[in-house]
Amino acid sequence: MSADGMDDYEEEEFGFSRNYFLAKELGGSRKKSANKLSDIDVVDEQELRAAAAEIEGKHEKEIKRLLAEYRSSYSYWLFELRCGFGLLMYGFGSKKALLEDFASAALLEYSVVVINGYLQTVNLKQVVITLAELLWEQLKAKRKTASGNLNKVQQPFSSRTMDDLLAFLNGTHADEKDDFICVLIHNIDGPGLRDSETQQYLARIASCTHIRVVASIDHINAPLLWDKKMVHTQFNWCWYHVPTYSPYKVEGIFFPMVLAHGGAAQATKTAALVLQSLTPNAQSVFKVLAEHQLAHPDEEGMPVNDLYTVCRERFLVSSQVTLNSHLTEFKDHELIKTRRDSDGRDCLHVPLTADALEKLINDINL
């Protein structure tokens, strides 16, 4: 490199360095904003949901045309179900309408049980009982004169264990090989179904002789719920990319909105989850504070010194340091707030209504 080229290179490097440190200096000298996320004036959740419901949907004609095009695959999907495969639908948009339309159009000859995985809780035992009862009615209707075990039910299905129910669903009925019940699962990766134990049971249900599963997934990590045996042997999935671009109207009802106040019910639920993760002593300290607040609703809260005295008498804490560690944890999770009373003392207050606080104590058995 020539001398002139070296000079140009060094000048360019010097200019870059000078601009970098100048930008850092200017950035550091700027006054930082004192605004907090909690200062945002968010609206009530019900009000926000009402406003969202009035928003007109876009591309409705195109979405309907797309769903109509999927109808041409219904006969092939049914053929795969008859062959013993399960159907797993994935892709952007709610697939609830698609799955229900497939069931109403192509599964008229079969019983269909719907599981809404987007709900927070699902009673899987009751689902299996329903499947067993439906299969029993189908077999009994088609084989009225049959003898043997089919006409003898020793005990009602509701009193049987899960293993017994699954054994019945997996029974070999030679004359009824094509007699199956379809289980339609909206969001098999939903909050009510995504734990490991539930997925294992769903896989066992799917592998039963007289059960076929049609399910949808929406979470990008949903395949991590299953191992190789579950995917290829038990569920026996046929994967279909069926984006619908439809809004998650029904599924979204059961999740709190980010831009809205969660309301008392959501706040109570959040507090319960936090408290359940704490130590028994920490829960007992919180109970002392909650009981005082319920007994003295007109006060600003419970003075810190009074809380320490009560907790010390009940052997919940051994020192002020121990109590402070619990209080810090409560504050970090926004379980309590501090405010001053008329005497200038710092008082601790739980930001929940009396009804919500009583429900919280009952829910976690404090």
Side-chain angles (χ1 to χ4, degrees):
M1 182 181 292
S2 63
D4 292 340
M6 180 64 71
D7 292 341
D8 293 341
Y9 175 77
E10 291 179 351
E11 183 177 354
E12 183 179 351
E13 285 293 303
F14 175 73
F16 173 79
S17 301
R18 181 180 57 188
N19 292 335
Y20 172 78
F21 288 106
L22 180 61
K24 293 290 288 183
E25 182 180 353
L26 291 175
S29 63
R30 292 175 183 171
K31 183 178 179 181
K32 294 184 178 179
S33 173
N35 296 331
K36 299 178 182 179
L37 187 62
S38 58
D39 295 333
I40 298 177
D41 185 19
V42 292
V43 299
D44 180 74
E45 182 169 2
Q46 296 300 325
E47 182 179 349
L48 186 57
R49 288 191 184 278
E54 296 179 358
I55 299 176
E56 295 184 3
K58 294 183 179 181
H59 310 293
E60 292 185 356
K61 293 182 179 179
E62 290 80 1
I63 291 175
K64 288 182 179 179
R65 188 182 306 121
L66 180 61
L67 294 177
E69 291 178 358
Y70 289 141
R71 281 193 160 217
S72 61
S73 301
Y74 285 2
S75 59
Y76 188 72
W77 293 353
L78 177 58
F79 172 74
E80 289 182 323
L81 288 177
R82 286 174 172 171
C83 291
F85 293 96
L87 305 179
L88 186 64
M89 311 299 184
Y90 69 97
F92 182 79
S94 172
K95 290 160 285 294
K96 187 174 186 297
L98 174 63
L99 266 60
E100 291 177 351
D101 184 66
F102 169 64
S104 61
L107 300 176
L108 295 177
E109 299 179 4
Y110 304 93
S111 297
V112 178
V113 175
V114 179
I115 301 177
N116 295 319
Y118 49 78
L119 299 177
Q120 298 298 321
T121 57
V122 176
N123 189 338
L124 197 60
K125 175 68 178 294
Q126 186 58 48
V127 171
V128 179
I129 292 173
T130 302
L131 293 174
E133 291 174 345
L134 286 173
L135 179 60
W136 170 257
E137 292 299 327
Q138 284 187 13
L139 296 175
K140 188 168 62 173
K142 289 188 177 182
R143 301 170 62 184
K144 292 181 180 179
T145 60
S147 60
N149 294 331
L150 187 61
N151 288 333
K152 297 179 181 179
V153 180
Q154 298 178 356
Q155 57 181 334
F157 289 112
S158 58
S159 63
R160 296 191 180 189
T161 65
M162 282 288 283
D163 289 338
D164 289 340
L165 292 169
L166 291 173
F168 175 75
L169 294 176
N170 198 33
T172 56
H173 305 289
D175 297 334
E176 307 294 345
K177 292 182 179 180
D178 193 43
D179 207 2
F180 64 82
I181 298 172
C182 185
V183 181
L184 206 66
I185 308 178
H186 298 301
N187 300 100
I188 195 173
D189 55 342
L193 300 174
R194 65 172 60 132
D195 61 281
S196 178
E197 182 181 4
T198 301
Q199 289 294 325
Q200 290 289 343
Y201 272 120
L202 288 175
R204 292 179 62 186
I205 293 171
S207 64
C208 291
T209 307
H210 298 281
I211 299 296
R212 300 293 185 271
V213 174
V214 180
S216 65
I217 58 174
D218 283 288
H219 199 286
I220 190 173
N221 293 324
L224 298 178
L225 295 171
W226 312 307
D227 56 29
K228 188 175 182 180
K229 176 185 175 183
M230 295 168 71
V231 171
H232 298 293
T233 305
Q234 294 178 299
F235 285 118
N236 202 15
W237 290 130
C238 285
W239 299 68
Y240 282 98
H241 182 225
V242 285
T244 64
Y245 305 101
S246 301
Y248 295 91
K249 290 183 178 180
V250 177
E251 299 92 327
I253 293 177
F254 303 95
F255 291 88
M257 302 188 79
V258 177
L259 300 178
H261 288 299
Q266 183 63 30
T268 304
K269 181 179 178 181
T270 302
L273 292 174
V274 172
L275 284 172
Q276 288 171 353
S277 67
L278 302 181
T279 63
N281 271 10
Q283 294 178 4
S284 298
V285 171
F286 183 85
K287 181 180 180 181
V288 172
L289 180 59
E291 289 177 341
H292 181 275
Q293 183 167 318
L294 291 173
H296 305 84
D298 297 329
E299 295 183 3
E300 293 296 325
M302 188 175 190
V304 178
N305 292 336
D306 294 353
L307 177 62
Y308 174 68
T309 301
V310 176
C311 292
R312 185 70 182 270
E313 292 174 351
R314 299 184 183 181
F315 300 101
L316 300 177
V317 298
S318 58
S319 64
Q320 184 71 46
V321 175
T322 306
L323 177 62
N324 289 340
S325 66
H326 291 321
L327 296 181
T328 299
E329 200 162 20
F330 294 160
K331 291 177 182 177
D332 289 344
H333 291 97
E334 298 184 351
L335 290 175
I336 62 172
K337 292 185 178 181
T338 304
R339 54 191 184 187
R340 294 196 172 182
D341 61 6
S342 57
D343 296 331
R345 298 179 300 176
D346 288 335
C347 297
L348 302 171
H349 172 74
V350 181
L352 291 174
T353 63
D355 293 340
L357 194 54
E358 288 181 358
K359 185 177 186 304
L360 174 62
I361 295 175
N362 293 330
D363 286 348
I364 61 177
N365 296 320
L366 284 179

